[in-house]
Each structure stands twice: as C-alpha cells, then as structure tokens.
Amino acid sequence: MSLSDQESLRYSRHLLLKQIGEQGQLKLKDAHVLVIGMGGLGVPAATYLVGAGVGHLVLADFDEIDSSNLQRQVLYREQDIGQSKVLTAKSQLEALNSLIQIRAVNRRMGEMLLGMEVAQADVVLDCSDNLATRYAVNQVCVKAGKPLVSGAAVAFSGQLMVFPFDRPEQACYHCLFPNAQEQQLNCANAGILGPVVGTIGSLQALEAIKLICGMDSAAQGRFSSFDAQHLEWMHIKMQQDPSCPVCGQAHSAP
Amino acid sequence: MNQIEFNDQGLSWPADKSLAELVAEQQSNTQGIAVVVNGEIVPQSAWNERCLSDGDKVKVFRAIAGG
C-alpha cells in the first residue's frame, strides 16, 4: 500500500516529519478512531484527526447545538442551532477532508452499542461531559484492550489522561478516581473558556496520532493537570490499583 | 510531629496518623479525588496504611467531567 499523489501532496507536511513519514501516514489512513462527545473537546479533537487523514472516524453524541455552545465549539455555525451535533460535525468535517470516512452515531450509546463501537476502534477518545460516561467508556476500553485518550475541562482547569490499555498492567480511570460522583462541576454550572477546552481537545488528537503512528509519548500512562489561569502543568504517573474492581486483580480473578 | 505540605500549605502532622486521616481532615468532600504524595499517586486502597514522613508533599486532584 502506498499514498496516492493527491494524498502525498495533501499530507506533505506530515511526510516531512521523520516520526510520521509515509509509513505513519498510511497508519493514519488505516486507523479507526471513536470520538465520544462532540462538544468543546470533541470538536477540536475530531477536526485535527480529520485534517491529519485518520481514515475512519466515528463521532458519537446525542446532543443538539445550542447558542451557548458557539463560544467554544467552533465547528458549528449560528445557522446550525437546534441541529444535531454529530450530523452537523460530519457534514463540516467531510467538507474539510473528502478522502476519509466519517460515521455519525446520533444517539445515546448503551453498553452494547458502546462495546461494538469500541471493538471496531484502534483508539478511543473520551470527550464526554459526565462521569457516568467516563466510567462506562473506561470499563469497555479496559475489557477490549483499546487505548483510551481521556480529556476533561471546566472553568480554567483541564485534565488529560492517556491509558494504553493495549499493554498490560495499566492504571485505569477508576484506579485514578475510584468514587467520583456526578458532579460537582461542569461547563454548564461552572463555566468554561474556549481555548482551555480547545487545548485539551487538541492534545487528545495529538496523543491519538502518536498512538496510531506507534510513537512513544511521555503522556502515556500519565495524568496531566492543566491550570490555564497560571499556565502551569502537573504531570503524574498513574499507578494501577491492585484492588481496582475494573482493571485490578479482583477483576481478572476467576 | 512531622512537617508536611498539603496542597502547597505547610502542616504539622503526627507520624502515626495515616494519609486517609489527613485526607478526611483536610477535604470536606473526598469524592472523586486522586491523592499524590511526592509526585506519585497513592491508590485509595492504600491510604489507610500510608503514613507520612517529614517533608512529604501531598497534593489532591479532583476529577473534572466537563467537555
């Protein structure tokens, strides 16, 4: 398999990068990525993945575009208010790159559908806005052994977690936050600034590209916390909890 | 008493009291938090057994869900 002339021109700036090159571009073309949530994280993440030539992208959300989304979800236009996020995003992103396949899942995913979508993906991006989804996505990705790039943002804070579940003995989201409850703070009650969530969403795309191209990244297996007000990062290596009911020994014991 | 740091604030803490007790005392809400001691996450299942030494730096991160 090799790139067409059209693809070589289009992705020429990737081909200049020795870490990507033609082999990496072919891996991107062959990759299946599932993006869960097409809000402030999913919009930049999906846009960069489409730009980068990820061959198969699935966008999942059940929400409609609200005028209060437009300050940060920059793929959507005023005329799109009231329309489905994933259908609008699909149409916008197809206009950006017609060489790839985009599928929209315009419904709330139950455990079975989520399991089927994760099974087809090479990398999963959690761009959701609630803890129930985060725990469900984590559990399915652990079970399926699929790498998960999880992002979150509220107000001036961001979090990025890269879980390479295709490798053994990885900490999972449940190890990190075992008893988080539906919450606390979200964008609707605590506010959010566009570039803060945009930064985290862009990093999710970056880490997904690295995973697909087989590049090492210090972010893998790490929890990163972003303080956008003081422009400070804290990076912490995650530890698998042996007693974690999702990924630990208790889970794998017969 | 040991001198430790909790979320960047200095604190005197008895050598025989656990990390679980520190967290319970300092955090009114312990839901959805990750506790980091000297740059390493201590899983919640180990908070009870973990005591703190002089100079330990404890930091708490709370899960955020927004996106």
Side-chain angles (χ1 to χ4, degrees):
Chain A
M1 198 170 68
S2 62
L3 295 172
S4 68
D5 290 349
Q6 187 188 11
E7 288 167 330
S8 298
L9 276 172
R10 182 175 187 121
Y11 304 118
S12 58
R13 300 304 189 267
H14 289 171
L15 303 183
L16 291 168
L17 301 168
K18 69 173 176 14
Q19 297 88 339
I20 297 183
E22 183 163 17
Q23 287 314 305
Q25 194 61 49
L26 288 166
K27 286 178 185 165
L28 289 168
K29 184 181 176 178
D30 198 37
H32 290 62
V33 176
L34 171 61
V35 179
I36 299 166
M38 278 301 292
L41 296 167
V43 160
T47 305
Y48 277 119
L49 294 176
V50 166
V54 165
H56 310 268
L57 202 67
V58 178
L59 311 175
D61 204 322
F62 53 86
D63 210 0
E64 286 160 4
I65 298 159
D66 183 84
S67 69
S68 67
N69 298 150
L70 300 181
Q71 58 63 276
R72 64 192 186 283
Q73 299 173 23
V74 292
L75 198 54
Y76 308 132
R77 303 289 170 255
E78 290 177 1
Q79 69 200 34
D80 302 326
I81 291 170
Q83 302 294 312
S84 147
K85 284 190 177 176
V86 282
L87 297 178
T88 304
K90 179 177 188 288
S91 146
Q92 288 277 7
L93 294 171
E94 280 170 346
L96 169 61
N97 193 344
S98 59
L99 303 180
I100 64 160
Q101 292 177 358
I102 304 172
R103 187 159 54 83
V105 179
N106 187 20
R107 54 181 287 196
R108 197 183 286 266
M109 286 195 290
E111 195 180 327
M112 204 172 116
L113 181 57
L114 180 61
M116 285 165 60
E117 292 295 349
V118 167
Q120 294 177 59
D122 299 308
V123 178
V124 178
L125 267 58
D126 188 340
C127 300
S128 69
D129 63 357
N130 65 86
L131 286 164
T133 302
R134 291 178 184 280
Y135 282 127
V137 170
N138 175 68
Q139 184 155 21
V140 171
C141 289
V142 166
K143 203 171 155 191
K146 296 297 173 86
L148 170 63
V149 182
S150 183
V154 74
F156 283 90
S157 299
Q159 293 177 349
L160 178 73
M161 293 138 279
V162 183
F163 303 101
F165 290 137
D166 51 332
R167 297 169 219 166
E169 291 173 13
Q170 296 297 323
C172 78
Y173 188 77
H174 196 280
C175 298
L176 184 66
F177 296 120
N179 62 348
Q181 290 190 344
E182 213 63 63
Q183 222 167 341
Q184 295 174 310
L185 298 175
N186 62 43
C187 298
N189 66 25
I192 179 70
L193 197 59
V196 177
V197 71
T199 297
I200 302 295
S202 301
L203 290 174
Q204 286 181 271
L206 173 65
E207 291 306 319
I209 290 169
K210 290 184 196 170
L211 285 163
I212 292 163
C213 294
M215 290 169 59
D216 284 336
S217 170
Q220 293 167 11
R222 212 164 68 168
F223 165 77
S224 298
S225 170
F226 178 45
D227 173 353
Q229 201 169 351
H230 303 100
L231 215 69
E232 283 179 345
W233 283 92
M234 285 274 298
H235 303 286
I236 296 142
K237 191 175 167 10
M238 292 187 281
Q239 300 286 337
Q240 190 182 28
D241 184 349
S243 66
C244 175
V246 176
C247 72
Q249 287 153 4
H251 163 74
S252 52
Chain B
M1 294 290 256
N2 287 328
Q3 284 302 311
I4 63 165
E5 267 183 32
F6 186 86
N7 284 347
D8 303 319
Q9 302 288 316
L11 193 72
S12 296
W13 188 252
D16 60 341
K17 286 183 85 175
S18 72
L19 181 61
E21 288 169 290
L22 174 71
V23 170
E25 202 168 290
Q26 295 292 321
Q27 295 288 132
S28 55
N29 176 6
T30 59
Q31 303 287 347
I33 59 171
V35 177
V36 174
V37 179
N38 302 333
E40 282 186 19
I41 289 182
V42 180
Q44 195 178 38
S45 60
W47 293 357
N48 274 324
E49 303 143 31
R50 178 68 180 256
C51 288
L52 295 158
S53 310
D54 211 40
D56 276 353
K57 291 183 169 64
V58 182
K59 227 170 154 63
V60 168
F61 293 89
R62 193 170 291 275
I64 56 178

